[in-house]
């Protein structure tokens, strides 16, 4: 199984984010789960990649040409694919991945997981989408998703399709047991 991980190119200010990311990367490596990610060697991106590799796992990076130098492409990946732009990066990561997980990150992390989640709602794929909720990082977002549902802008099935956890074991179990809801316009 290959899991796409979206996360920060920064490690954040609280060391708990780096620690939890390293734990998840290590767990994936130990479980034979390959990581698909943005290819960088900085921030949480570099931590998840290196910890998976250190545990004997495979890591597949996809990085746009323009970010290859800025994000300092990881030098020791199983495979690094350099693509033209962010659109190609996301499409290639989606093609490679069997599931999608957002770790703490900024606007880019949210944009990537939201696109994967939207594609799932539309029936473009049937892959699990998850928020790895380290230290309650995604609690406000979970509240916003509840607000979208109660306001009638999001069907409960599409809110419920998201996995929220801060445990590597619970994350993998939820991904393995994931059943996609009926696509939006079916």
């Amino acid at each position: 199984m290959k899991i796409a991980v979206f996360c920060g190119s920064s490690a954040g200010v609280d060391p708990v984010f780096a620690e939890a990311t390293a734990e998840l990367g290590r767990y994936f490596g130990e479980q034979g789960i390959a990581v698909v990610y943005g290819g960088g060697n900085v921030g949480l991106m570099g931590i998840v990649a290196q910890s998976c590799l250190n545990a004997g796992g495979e890591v597949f990076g996809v990085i746009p040409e323009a970010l290859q130098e800025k994000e300092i492409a990881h030098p020791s990946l199983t495979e690094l694919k350099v693509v033209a732009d962010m659109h190609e990066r996301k499409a290639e990561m989606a093609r490679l991945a069997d599931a999608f997980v957002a770790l703490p990150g900024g606007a880019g992390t949210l944009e990537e997981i939201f696109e994967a989640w939207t594609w799932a709602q539309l029936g473009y794929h049937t892959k699990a989408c998850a928020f790895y909720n380290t230290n309650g990082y995604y609690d406000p977002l979970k509240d916003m998703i509840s607000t979208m549902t109660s306001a009638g802008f999001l069907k409960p099935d599409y809110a419920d399709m998201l996995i929220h956890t801060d445990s590597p074991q619970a994350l993998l179990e939820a991904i393995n047991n994931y059943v996609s809801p009926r696509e939006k316009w079916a």
Side-chain angles (χ1 to χ4, degrees):
M1 174 185 296
K2 292 180 181 174
I3 297 180
V5 175
F6 306 126
C7 59
S9 59
S10 166
V13 296
D14 189 335
V16 73
F17 297 124
E19 292 163 8
T21 298
E23 177 188 19
L24 183 62
R26 190 170 40 256
Y27 181 75
F28 282 166
E30 291 167 351
Q31 299 301 309
I33 304 298
V35 169
V36 175
Y37 85 119
N41 195 27
V42 294
L44 297 185
M45 293 174 69
I47 292 168
V48 74
Q50 194 59 54
S51 60
C52 184
L53 289 167
N54 290 348
E58 292 186 312
V59 180
F60 299 86
V62 184
I63 194 165
E65 288 176 52
L67 294 181
Q68 191 173 4
E69 292 299 319
K70 291 178 185 174
E71 288 185 355
I72 311 168
H74 196 293
S76 305
L77 302 178
T78 306
E79 183 180 322
L80 178 66
K81 183 169 186 174
V82 179
V83 295
D85 55 34
M86 290 298 287
H87 296 292
E88 194 175 331
R89 175 197 231 177
K90 291 183 294 182
E92 180 64 11
M93 289 177 71
R95 185 187 70 75
L96 291 170
D98 298 305
F100 306 93
V101 178
L103 279 62
T109 300
L110 290 177
E111 189 269 333
E112 290 169 323
I113 192 67
F114 280 11
E115 183 168 73
W117 178 33
T118 300
W119 290 351
Q121 289 178 54
L122 296 173
Y124 293 167
H125 67 75
T126 58
K127 303 170 186 180
C129 295
F131 289 93
Y132 198 69
N133 196 24
T134 301
N135 205 28
Y137 185 78
Y138 283 115
D139 287 349
L141 180 61
K142 191 173 183 183
D143 291 343
M144 184 64 215
I145 291 168
S146 293
T147 299
M148 290 170 13
T149 303
S150 63
F153 291 104
L154 179 66
K155 291 184 178 178
D157 285 351
Y158 302 128
D160 294 342
M161 73 191 296
L162 294 171
I163 297 165
H164 298 270
T165 186
D166 64 355
S167 158
Q169 297 81 6
L171 175 64
L172 189 54
E173 181 179 344
I175 288 170
N176 284 330
N177 293 320
Y178 177 75
V179 177
S180 178
R182 197 169 66 101
E183 66 184 70
K184 191 170 187 171
W185 305 115

